[in-house]
Amino acid sequence: MANIKSARKRIRVSEKRRLHNAMITSRMRTSIRRFNEAVETNDTEIILASLNNAFSVIDKAATKGVIHKNNAARKKAQLSRRLNAIENAAAE
């Protein structure tokens, strides 16, 4: 355990930030999982709603600095590719 007052505070603050970042990351993963579950239902309305929610949560995580902006862009591109593959399969 740290002896210096500022070091003790730094430990408290970093633990608080770690928990906050874990909450945001968990929320992001949950929204992506819900999108993937919606894809399985083949209901277009639910899929689009969950995609918009996932995009919003991913953007918020990137804005808050929990994930890098390129990581956010990559995750959004993966979800979009999955949606496009579904739409193309339905069109054929």
Side-chain angles (χ1 to χ4, degrees), residues 17 20-22 24-25 28 60-68 71:
R17 296 303 308 164
H20 185 256
N21 290 344
I24 293 172
T25 304
M28 181 182 64
K60 284 179 186 175
T63 301
K64 294 176 188 296
V66 175
I67 61 172
H68 194 273
N71 188 350

Side-chain angles (χ1 to χ4, degrees), residues 23-89:
M23 179 191 66
I24 293 172
T25 304
S26 175
R27 186 177 295 158
M28 181 182 64
R29 288 181 181 149
T30 301
S31 68
I32 292 171
R33 180 176 45 81
R34 291 216 172 110
F35 169 76
N36 291 329
E37 290 171 354
V39 166
E40 301 299 322
T41 65
N42 291 329
D43 186 1
T44 309
E45 190 172 309
I46 295 173
I47 292 172
L48 293 177
S50 60
L51 181 69
N52 288 335
N53 181 48
F55 276 12
S56 174
V57 172
I58 291 169
D59 285 337
K60 284 179 186 175
T63 301
K64 294 176 188 296
V66 175
I67 61 172
H68 194 273
K69 65 178 186 171
N70 291 351
N71 188 350
R74 187 174 67 244
K75 287 182 186 303
K76 287 166 50 176
Q78 288 170 344
L79 297 177
S80 295
R81 267 199 310 270
R82 181 132 194 237
L83 178 66
N84 290 338
I86 293 165
E87 289 175 347
N88 290 340

